[in-house]
């Protein structure tokens, strides 16, 4: 098997755990991974700490784009990625997930496809929320449309792609690569004992995260979500690591008082977060990754969104949706029901969430 040159793109926090196992598997099979960090996330807590925790190699190319409006950020990734692509001439550009960097690099690549003979593989293809107000939904649909190889984390993604007219021979089920990282890091995460460090009793606390623009960008939405979390915290200590977007909005709306009674923390590193999750009685979140990680760990999860692009976590996992629109009473009721269900002891996870997705991804790249 000839060695493949793989340009692997990561930009924002949820990308780092998806590229780490792909890089490892590619190396193990004698390929040449080239890591491109767009710099969409740039500070220690949102980026560098993940490189340390996940044993990621230093990026071969750092595009340093930083924050900005969607147009500004997407355009800057495109401008910076084009010369890197032209210079490195990989066999494949591998993009993951649904952030602005994912779409920007896919778009640059498809325009240079004929000139450079490069192809695009999308890891985490086919997920759909059906909500076009979400920037991630736009990024997913457009990235899938221009990709040559669509690698899906769960079989429910396949009808979504078929409905959009994507030829089935481009689509392959490989399973969930996030779970590769979770299983790989779990023993080291446990050793950290983050709950103990915070003075929390195992299974005696809840963890929440909030960062979606729909939940944090208006005072009304943020007020309702935080009221729900405070109501849950009256029953059970609740830890809320604050995403920088959320921290910024709390300050902007003068909502510091709305955090009273919650244990707020800065964004956590990967292992610290997994350690905290693993000991939790309950998770409340608007993150996509946490819906999957809680299903893999058997921890009840309440999703604070109108819909989810990860319905398999509802049908086969431990996830449930909070009533929408979010209200204090709705969040509290969903949290109480979720707690009654309790943690799932026996491992029952969706197909392909087995720690071997990256190997299957590399095999598909080799065979396509
Ligand atoms: C992005 C992704 C989202 C993902 C999330 C995870 C898109 C459209 N959205 O949203 O899908 O779930 O990342 O975090 O790509 N900031 C920092 N430090 C950083 C990065 C950002 O302080 O390292 C602050 C900046 O003030 C910035 C804000 O966070 O304005 C939002 O960052 P941005 O990358 O625009 O979007 P996210 O909300 O993080």
């Amino acid at each position: 098997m000839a060695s493949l040159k793989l340009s692997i793109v990561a930009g924002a926090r949820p990308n780092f755990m998806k590229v780490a196992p792909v890089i490892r598997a590619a190396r193990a099979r004698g390929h040449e991974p080239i890591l491109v960090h767009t710099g969409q996330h740039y500070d220690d807590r949102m980026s560098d700490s993940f490189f340390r925790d996940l044993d990621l190699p230093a990026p071969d190319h750092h595009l340093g784009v930083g924050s900005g409006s969607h147009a500004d950020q997407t355009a800057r990734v495109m401008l910076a990625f084009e010369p890197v692509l032209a210079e490195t001439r990989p066999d494949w550009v591998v993009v993951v997930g649904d952030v602005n960097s994912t779409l920007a690099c896919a778009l640059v690549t498809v325009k240079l496809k004929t000139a450079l003979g490069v192809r695009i593989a999308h890891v985490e293809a086919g997920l759909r929320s059906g909500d076009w107000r979400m920037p991630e939904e736009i990024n997913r649909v457009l990235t899938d449309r221009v990709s040559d190889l669509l690698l899906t984390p769960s079989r429910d993604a396949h009808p979504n792609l078929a409905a959009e007219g994507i030829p089935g021979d481009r689509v392959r089920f490989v399973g969930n690569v996030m779970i590769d990282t979770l299983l790989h890091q779990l023993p080291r995460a446990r050793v950290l004992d983050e709950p103990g460090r915070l003075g929390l009793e195992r299974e005696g606390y809840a963890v929440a995260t909030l960062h979606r623009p729909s939940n944090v960008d208006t005072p009304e939405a943020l007020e309702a979500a935080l009221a729900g979390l405070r109501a849950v915290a009256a029953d059970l200590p609740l830890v809320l690591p604050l995403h920088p977007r959320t921290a910024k909005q709390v300050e902007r709306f003068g909502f510091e008082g709305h955090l009273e009674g919650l244990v707020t923390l800065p964004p956590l590193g990967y292992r610290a977060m997994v350690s905290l999750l693993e000991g939790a009685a309950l998770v409340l979140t608007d993150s996509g990754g946490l819906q999957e990680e809680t299903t893999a760990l058997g921890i009840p999860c309440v999703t604070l969104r109108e819909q989810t692009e990860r319905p398999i976590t509802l049908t086969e996992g431990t996830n449930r949706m909070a009533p929408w629109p979010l209200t204090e009473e709705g969040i509290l009721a969903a949290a109480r029901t979720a707690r009654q269900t309790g943690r799932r002891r026996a491992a029952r996870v969706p197909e392909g969430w087995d720690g071997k997705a990256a190997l299957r991804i590399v095999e598909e790249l080799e065979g396509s």
Side-chain angles (χ1 to χ4, degrees), residues 14 40-43 46 67 99-100 136 211 243-245 248:
Q40 174 172 345
H41 284 173
Y42 44 86
D43 61 30
M46 298 298 283
S67 301
V99 303
N100 287 342
E136 293 82 1
H211 77 285
H243 187 282
R245 173 189 283 278
K248 208 152 115 182

Side-chain angles (χ1 to χ4, degrees), residues 14-92:
N15 295 160
F16 303 132
M17 39 288 216
K18 293 170 195 164
V19 299
V22 178
I23 293 173
R24 217 169 29 247
R27 284 216 174 122
R29 290 179 69 91
H31 303 300
E32 185 192 344
I34 304 164
L35 178 57
V36 179
H37 186 343
T38 68
Q40 174 172 345
H41 284 173
Y42 44 86
D43 61 30
D44 187 74
R45 289 189 160 126
M46 298 298 283
S47 173
D48 300 357
S49 81
F50 285 79
F51 275 72
R52 292 192 297 271
D53 275 11
L54 303 174
D55 303 317
L56 272 165
D60 298 285
H61 300 273
H62 199 300
L63 310 183
V65 301
S67 301
S69 71
H70 286 273
D72 187 50
Q73 192 173 60
T74 309
R76 277 191 281 132
V77 174
M78 290 181 71
L79 284 171
F81 184 61
E82 189 180 51
V84 170
L85 182 63
E87 181 204 314
T88 48
R89 300 182 79 100
D91 297 296
W92 289 94

Side-chain angles (χ1 to χ4, degrees), residues 161-204:
L161 295 169
E164 290 171 17
I166 305 227
D169 60 0
R170 284 196 214 155
V171 183
R172 306 280 200 290
F173 170 72
V174 291
N176 192 333
V177 78
M178 284 265 293
I179 307 306
D180 289 20
T181 294
L182 180 67
L183 299 179
H184 185 71
Q185 294 287 344
L186 199 51
R188 286 195 273 178
R190 282 197 178 113
V191 172
L192 282 183
D193 187 22
E194 193 67 11
R197 219 181 54 78
L198 293 166
L200 298 162
E201 236 171 82
R202 222 187 128 72
E203 297 186 37

